[in-house]
Amino acid sequence: MGSIEYAVAVLKVPLVVVMGHESCGAVDAARKVIEEDARFPGAIDDMIHPILPAALGVRDKQGKINLDDAVHENVRRVVDRLRNESDPIMLEPQKQGKLKVVGAYYDLDRGAVEFFDRP
């Protein structure tokens, strides 16, 4: 978060892209925690903890989680946080029209980027 805030406040970047990607290991680990009660060593659990709500939010009626849906949802949640719940260092430039925060998904197989969450 500090790197993003530095880019916005000091470098005056006009665009922040939150990009998820196909076959994301962190989101897959969150899926495994939910579906398989998996546990991971070291700081991995701490890394995936913020992703769990996104994975939970896309479970189907059988309790299964589609990985691509979870990646998209995680991007949406991060974008929403940056747009609405972050420090004024991020919020003020957005209100002034000097900064846009957008969500995207990178399809590794096709080498294509889909921008799906725009202000």
Side-chain angles (χ1 to χ4, degrees), residues 16-80:
V16 172
V17 177
V18 178
M19 187 176 304
H21 62 88
E22 179 181 19
S23 303
C24 178
V27 176
D28 193 42
R31 180 195 62 78
K32 288 177 180 175
V33 166
I34 295 164
E35 290 184 356
E36 303 167 16
D37 198 29
R39 294 292 176 255
F40 297 93
I44 298 170
D45 275 339
D46 293 339
M47 175 192 66
I48 63 174
H49 187 263
I51 301 169
L52 293 172
L56 286 166
V58 297
R59 282 188 300 182
D60 65 17
K61 292 179 182 177
Q62 290 75 38
K64 296 296 179 190
I65 298 166
N66 176 283
L67 183 57
D68 284 340
D69 291 345
V71 171
H72 279 81
E73 183 61 20
N74 190 54
V75 169
R76 281 187 200 94
R77 291 176 57 82
V78 172
V79 166
D80 183 65

Side-chain angles (χ1 to χ4, degrees), residues 96-117:
Q96 297 167 0
K98 295 179 180 178
L99 174 67
K100 292 195 182 326
V101 177
V102 301
Y105 177 84
Y106 181 51
D107 185 311
L108 299 169
D109 291 335
R110 296 181 314 139
V113 175
E114 165 202 1
F115 289 90
F116 65 91
D117 193 338

